[in-house]
């Protein structure tokens, strides 16, 4: 697949020094328990700069919790998470500064119903980044165009399809200038005919070299766009590798069982 815009991963993976931030996201020994419920039981996962990693796995395996730990919506019980070289699990970390570097797109779009598309993309820039009206507007329009919604900037969420709303949510995340993007089943709430538009935008984003960690059940997307696929079950990454291996020739029985249900 064409990924000429991406950095040379062989070089990234073989970088020997520990102090060089070779990964955009580096998750090590990550554990998360809710009371007695151990949801993440020691996750090691790295996403190199410009890489796309898709996380697949059954419901309840801990995929959302994993993403939520990466932007500190949940506090990890143990382990470390580094994003762009900064250890976000450091107790002294500036959580707001961390979140600004991480764009997150959820299954539900959470747009403000009383704001237009451009208003929704402007508001966090104004409130969190304290951008002025003109700059926030310019960046909002730029990113709405990037997700193919240049003709919908004045539309309210109720006037948009689910796929268009999700693209506004993606534009909103991009407008903050994140260094990595996290997606949690971004197309699961969409009617089937609208899924392709959103996946197309994500594919385009991947081609620009954005670092992406994507939880998805869209095996076609994972197969074509992901550099690596991680299969999670029971709070662990059971196997991980290139999509052609994990999806088309899995080595674990649990992966085979899961895939036989979704493919
Ligand atoms: P997935 O996204 O793979 O479906 P989740 O990460 O959402 O899995 O959930 C994994 C497990 O963690 C589930 O058993 C769920 O009930 C539990 N869980 C998730 N969030 C919370 C929470 N805030 N409090 C208690 N339990 C939670
Ligand atoms: Mg989930």
């Amino acid at each position: 697949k064409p990924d000429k815009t991406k950095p040379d991963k062989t070089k990234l993976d073989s970088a020997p020094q520990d102090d060089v931030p070779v990964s955009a996201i580096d998750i090590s020994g990550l554990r998360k328990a809710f009371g007695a419920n151990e949801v993440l039981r020691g996750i090691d996962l790295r996403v190199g700069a410009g890489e796309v990693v898709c996380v697949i796995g059954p419901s309840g395996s801990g995929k959302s919790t994993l993403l939520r730990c990466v932007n500190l919506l949940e506090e990890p019980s143990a382990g470390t998470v580094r994003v762009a070289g900064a250890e976000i699990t450091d107790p002294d970390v500036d959580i707001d500064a961390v979140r600004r570097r991480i764009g997150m797109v959820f299954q539900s779009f959470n747009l403000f119903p009383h704001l237009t598309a451009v208003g929704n993309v402007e508001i966090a820039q104004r409130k969190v980044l304290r951008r002025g009206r003109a700059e926030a507007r310019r960046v909002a329009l730029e990113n709405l165009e990037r997700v193919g919604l240049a003709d919908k900037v004045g539309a309210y969420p109720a006037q948009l399809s689910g796929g268009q709303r999700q693209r506004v949510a993606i534009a909103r995340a991009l407008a903050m200038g994140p260094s990595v993007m996290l997606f949690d089943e971004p197309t699961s709430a969409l009617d089937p005919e609208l899924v392709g538009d959103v996946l197309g935008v994500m594919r385009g984003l991947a081609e620009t070299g954005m670092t992406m960690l994507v939880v998805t059940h869209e095996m076609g997307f994972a197969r074509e766009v992901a550099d690596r696929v991680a299969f999670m079950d029971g709070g662990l990454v059971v196997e991980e590798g290139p999509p052609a291996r994990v999806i088309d020739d899995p080595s674990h029985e649990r992966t085979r069982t899961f895939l036989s249900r979704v493919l």
Side-chain angles (χ1 to χ4, degrees):
K1 85 194 146 66
D3 62 351
K4 304 210 165 34
T5 55
K6 297 192 177 180
D8 181 345
K9 278 156 216 146
T10 344
K11 218 176 261 165
L12 285 174
D13 286 343
S14 61
Q17 305 93 330
D18 268 342
D19 54 345
V20 175
V22 291
S23 301
I25 303 174
D26 195 335
I27 300 164
S28 175
L30 177 64
R31 293 177 171 271
K32 176 65 184 177
F34 295 104
N37 187 9
E38 270 198 86
V39 172
L40 300 179
R41 300 191 293 136
I43 302 278
D44 298 304
L45 189 65
R46 303 171 75 177
V47 186
E51 263 194 322
V52 178
V53 172
C54 283
V55 177
I56 62 172
S59 179
S61 57
K63 305 180 300 295
S64 293
T65 304
L66 172 66
L67 288 198
R68 292 169 62 81
C69 284
V70 172
N71 70 355
L72 294 181
L73 288 174
E74 299 288 354
E75 191 188 343
S77 308
T80 57
V81 178
R82 286 200 189 85
V83 177
E87 186 175 331
I88 68 166
T89 34
D90 183 327
D92 296 327
V93 81
D94 175 353
I95 292 185
D96 293 330
V98 165
R99 293 218 181 98
R100 261 172 249 152
R101 312 175 77 167
I102 304 173
M104 178 109 183
V105 176
F106 302 90
Q107 186 176 323
S108 55
F109 333 114
N110 302 317
L111 301 180
F112 290 113
H114 63 289
L115 294 179
T116 60
V118 71
N120 269 283
V121 180
E122 280 171 359
I123 189 159
Q125 299 181 64
R126 308 259 346 247
K127 300 224 177 231
V128 179
L129 301 182
R130 310 219 165 273
R131 282 184 184 148
R133 185 180 293 276
E135 193 193 1
R137 170 67 48 123
R138 180 182 59 75
V139 175
L141 293 175
E142 222 171 74
N143 282 289
L144 283 166
E145 188 176 347
R146 198 170 169 188
V147 301
L149 291 177
D151 57 336
K152 296 286 180 193
V153 296
Y156 288 88
Q159 301 169 314
L160 298 172
S161 73
Q164 291 168 336
R165 284 181 219 168
Q166 188 59 298
R167 286 188 278 151
V168 174
I170 294 172
R172 176 180 57 187
L174 291 173
M176 304 297 280
S179 53
V180 310
M181 286 282 287
L182 311 178
F183 293 86
D184 192 358
E185 299 196 31
T187 60
S188 294
L190 301 179
D191 292 335
E193 74 271 22
L194 303 175
V195 166
D197 289 348
V198 172
L199 293 180
V201 165
M202 291 170 63
R203 181 191 299 258
L205 194 55
E207 281 164 6
T208 68
M210 177 60 79
T211 304
M212 295 165 54
L213 183 56
V214 183
V215 174
T216 187
H217 293 295
E218 295 293 332
M219 292 304 142
F221 177 85
R223 195 185 264 122
E224 288 163 32
V225 180
D227 295 288
R228 281 180 298 120
V229 172
F231 170 69
M232 274 182 75
D233 195 15
L236 291 168
V237 173
V238 173
E239 66 180 298
E240 180 196 327
R245 207 190 53 60
V246 176
I247 297 176
D248 298 319
D249 188 22
S251 29
H252 289 257
E253 187 54 42
R254 281 193 281 174
T255 318
R256 276 195 285 273
T257 307
F258 170 75
L259 288 168
S260 71
R261 290 193 194 120
V262 297
L263 282 178

mmCIF file of all heavy atoms in Angstrom, residues 34 37 39 58-65 74, ligand 1:
data_model
loop_
_atom_site.group_PDB
_atom_site.id
_atom_site.type_symbol
_atom_site.label_atom_id
_atom_site.label_comp_id
_atom_site.label_asym_id
_atom_site.label_seq_id
_atom_site.Cartn_x
_atom_site.Cartn_y
_atom_site.Cartn_z
ATOM 1 N N PHE A 34 -10.900 -1.845 37.831
ATOM 2 C CA PHE A 34 -12.029 -1.143 38.445
ATOM 3 C C PHE A 34 -12.457 -2.016 39.617
ATOM 4 O O PHE A 34 -13.075 -3.070 39.408
ATOM 5 C CB PHE A 34 -13.184 -0.970 37.455
ATOM 6 C CG PHE A 34 -12.850 -0.086 36.282
ATOM 7 C CD1 PHE A 34 -12.587 -0.628 35.035
ATOM 8 C CD2 PHE A 34 -12.807 1.300 36.438
ATOM 9 C CE1 PHE A 34 -12.291 0.195 33.957
ATOM 10 C CE2 PHE A 34 -12.508 2.129 35.353
ATOM 11 C CZ PHE A 34 -12.243 1.570 34.117
ATOM 12 N N ASN A 37 -12.229 -5.835 39.323
ATOM 13 C CA ASN A 37 -12.269 -6.178 37.906
ATOM 14 C C ASN A 37 -11.004 -5.695 37.201
ATOM 15 O O ASN A 37 -10.832 -4.507 36.933
ATOM 16 C CB ASN A 37 -13.521 -5.547 37.281
ATOM 17 C CG ASN A 37 -13.745 -5.986 35.844
ATOM 18 O OD1 ASN A 37 -13.066 -6.886 35.351
ATOM 19 N ND2 ASN A 37 -14.683 -5.339 35.172
ATOM 20 N N VAL A 39 -9.246 -5.019 34.209
ATOM 21 C CA VAL A 39 -9.676 -4.826 32.823
ATOM 22 C C VAL A 39 -8.485 -4.822 31.858
ATOM 23 O O VAL A 39 -8.565 -5.374 30.769
ATOM 24 C CB VAL A 39 -10.491 -3.521 32.719
ATOM 25 C CG1 VAL A 39 -10.779 -3.176 31.273
ATOM 26 C CG2 VAL A 39 -11.798 -3.666 33.505
ATOM 27 N N PRO A 58 -12.980 -8.677 21.014
ATOM 28 C CA PRO A 58 -14.389 -8.744 21.414
ATOM 29 C C PRO A 58 -14.785 -7.639 22.380
ATOM 30 O O PRO A 58 -13.935 -7.011 23.017
ATOM 31 C CB PRO A 58 -14.494 -10.124 22.082
ATOM 32 C CG PRO A 58 -13.113 -10.546 22.394
ATOM 33 C CD PRO A 58 -12.208 -9.844 21.436
ATOM 34 N N SER A 59 -16.074 -7.425 22.477
ATOM 35 C CA SER A 59 -16.644 -6.470 23.411
ATOM 36 C C SER A 59 -16.231 -6.839 24.825
ATOM 37 O O SER A 59 -16.238 -8.013 25.201
ATOM 38 C CB SER A 59 -18.162 -6.516 23.243
ATOM 39 O OG SER A 59 -18.755 -5.633 24.143
ATOM 40 N N GLY A 60 -15.815 -5.846 25.603
ATOM 41 C CA GLY A 60 -15.423 -6.097 26.989
ATOM 42 C C GLY A 60 -13.964 -6.490 27.167
ATOM 43 O O GLY A 60 -13.512 -6.728 28.284
ATOM 44 N N SER A 61 -13.193 -6.523 26.055
ATOM 45 C CA SER A 61 -11.795 -6.958 26.178
ATOM 46 C C SER A 61 -10.882 -5.844 26.703
ATOM 47 O O SER A 61 -9.719 -6.097 27.000
ATOM 48 C CB SER A 61 -11.291 -7.489 24.828
ATOM 49 O OG SER A 61 -11.414 -6.514 23.820
ATOM 50 N N GLY A 62 -11.402 -4.612 26.799
ATOM 51 C CA GLY A 62 -10.601 -3.524 27.370
ATOM 52 C C GLY A 62 -10.106 -2.498 26.370
ATOM 53 O O GLY A 62 -9.295 -1.634 26.712
ATOM 54 N N LYS A 63 -10.622 -2.536 25.140
ATOM 55 C CA LYS A 63 -10.134 -1.643 24.084
ATOM 56 C C LYS A 63 -10.379 -0.170 24.422
ATOM 57 O O LYS A 63 -9.481 0.661 24.308
ATOM 58 C CB LYS A 63 -10.792 -1.996 22.737
ATOM 59 C CG LYS A 63 -10.624 -3.447 22.336
ATOM 60 C CD LYS A 63 -11.302 -3.757 21.000
ATOM 61 C CE LYS A 63 -12.806 -3.501 20.967
ATOM 62 N NZ LYS A 63 -13.594 -4.391 21.879
ATOM 63 N N SER A 64 -11.608 0.129 24.836
ATOM 64 C CA SER A 64 -11.918 1.530 25.169
ATOM 65 C C SER A 64 -11.122 1.988 26.382
ATOM 66 O O SER A 64 -10.620 3.115 26.418
ATOM 67 C CB SER A 64 -13.420 1.705 25.447
ATOM 68 O OG SER A 64 -14.155 1.502 24.265
ATOM 69 N N THR A 65 -11.001 1.122 27.359
ATOM 70 C CA THR A 65 -10.237 1.469 28.556
ATOM 71 C C THR A 65 -8.785 1.767 28.186
ATOM 72 O O THR A 65 -8.181 2.705 28.716
ATOM 73 C CB THR A 65 -10.325 0.328 29.595
ATOM 74 O OG1 THR A 65 -11.709 0.077 29.870
ATOM 75 C CG2 THR A 65 -9.604 0.685 30.869
ATOM 76 N N GLU A 74 -8.972 7.801 31.999
ATOM 77 C CA GLU A 74 -8.879 6.867 33.121
ATOM 78 C C GLU A 74 -7.447 6.911 33.634
ATOM 79 O O GLU A 74 -6.509 7.067 32.853
ATOM 80 C CB GLU A 74 -9.178 5.422 32.687
ATOM 81 C CG GLU A 74 -10.552 5.178 32.132
ATOM 82 C CD GLU A 74 -11.659 5.228 33.176
ATOM 83 O OE1 GLU A 74 -11.348 5.351 34.392
ATOM 84 O OE2 GLU A 74 -12.829 5.149 32.774
HETATM 85 P P1 LIG B 1 -14.270 -2.804 25.075
HETATM 86 O O1 LIG B 1 -14.089 -1.397 24.642
HETATM 87 O O2 LIG B 1 -13.241 -3.738 24.527
HETATM 88 O O3 LIG B 1 -15.651 -3.309 24.800
HETATM 89 P P2 LIG B 1 -14.119 -1.698 27.739
HETATM 90 O O4 LIG B 1 -12.764 -1.147 27.913
HETATM 91 O O5 LIG B 1 -15.220 -0.750 27.457
HETATM 92 O O6 LIG B 1 -14.082 -2.869 26.657
HETATM 93 O O7 LIG B 1 -14.561 -2.482 29.037
HETATM 94 C C1 LIG B 1 -13.813 -3.534 29.575
HETATM 95 C C2 LIG B 1 -14.357 -3.863 30.945
HETATM 96 O O8 LIG B 1 -14.155 -2.763 31.823
HETATM 97 C C3 LIG B 1 -15.841 -4.157 30.987
HETATM 98 O O9 LIG B 1 -16.016 -5.265 31.836
HETATM 99 C C4 LIG B 1 -16.428 -2.907 31.590
HETATM 100 O O10 LIG B 1 -17.586 -3.225 32.321
HETATM 101 C C5 LIG B 1 -15.326 -2.430 32.504
HETATM 102 N N1 LIG B 1 -15.346 -0.964 32.687
HETATM 103 C C6 LIG B 1 -15.058 -0.056 31.732
HETATM 104 N N2 LIG B 1 -15.140 1.194 32.229
HETATM 105 C C7 LIG B 1 -15.486 1.078 33.525
HETATM 106 C C8 LIG B 1 -15.726 2.007 34.597
HETATM 107 N N3 LIG B 1 -15.593 3.325 34.410
HETATM 108 N N4 LIG B 1 -16.062 1.498 35.807
HETATM 109 C C9 LIG B 1 -16.161 0.175 35.995
HETATM 110 N N5 LIG B 1 -15.942 -0.751 35.045
HETATM 111 C C10 LIG B 1 -15.611 -0.321 33.821
#
